[in-house]
Each structure stands twice: as structure tokens, then as C-alpha cells.
Amino acid sequence: MKKYLEYAKVFKAIGDPKRAMIVDMLSCGELCACMILERFEMSQSTLSHHMKLLCECGLVKGREQGKWTYYSLNADTAGRTKQFLD
């Protein structure tokens, strides 16, 4: 049952169209938060909320470099989720 709860968190996180688009963007590689923000009409705090949810479910990883945060897909979680769907 535990693994199904983990998958449910991932699916809930990408259930929002903007978060699904962010995941799609990150599938091409790591991006700075500022680059993600350029694609959306939202405040920085709203983007932070979306990124927090994606990181909490384990689908996205964030790393800080100076004053910027860079995000990338967590290959392990993405791979397990894909394998679950297959």
C-alpha cells in the first residue's frame, strides 16, 4: 500500500496543468527557477509553491547555487512512476 501512496502523491502533484508543464520542461534538463518563471504569468511565490509540491512528492530535485535555485527531474522517481504505468 505504501508504494501506491507514493504514486498517488506524484499523480496529485502533476494533476495541475502548470505543474505538468513544469515537469515537461524539466524533462529536457535542469532549469533555473527564473527560466521556468519566464514561461508563466505567475508570481515568484506561486512558482515556489508549485515547486515545493513537486519536490515534496520526490519528482523534482532542487539545488541552490548562489541566489538561484536550479530544478531537475529526479530520475529515480520518474523512472519508478513510468515503470508503474507500463
Side-chain angles (χ1 to χ4, degrees), residues 43-80:
S43 67
Q44 189 276 331
S45 62
T46 300
L47 176 64
S48 292
H49 172 73
H50 286 303
M51 299 314 295
K52 178 183 175 204
L53 293 174
L54 290 169
C55 289
E56 284 178 348
C57 77
L59 191 56
V60 171
K61 299 184 292 185
R63 68 174 182 86
E64 293 185 16
Q65 184 174 331
K67 65 177 184 172
W68 302 107
T69 302
Y70 291 82
Y71 294 99
S72 60
L73 286 183
N74 182 332
D76 292 337
T77 303
R80 283 194 310 271

Side-chain angles (χ1 to χ4, degrees), residues 21 26 71:
M21 186 174 171
L26 294 176
Y71 294 99

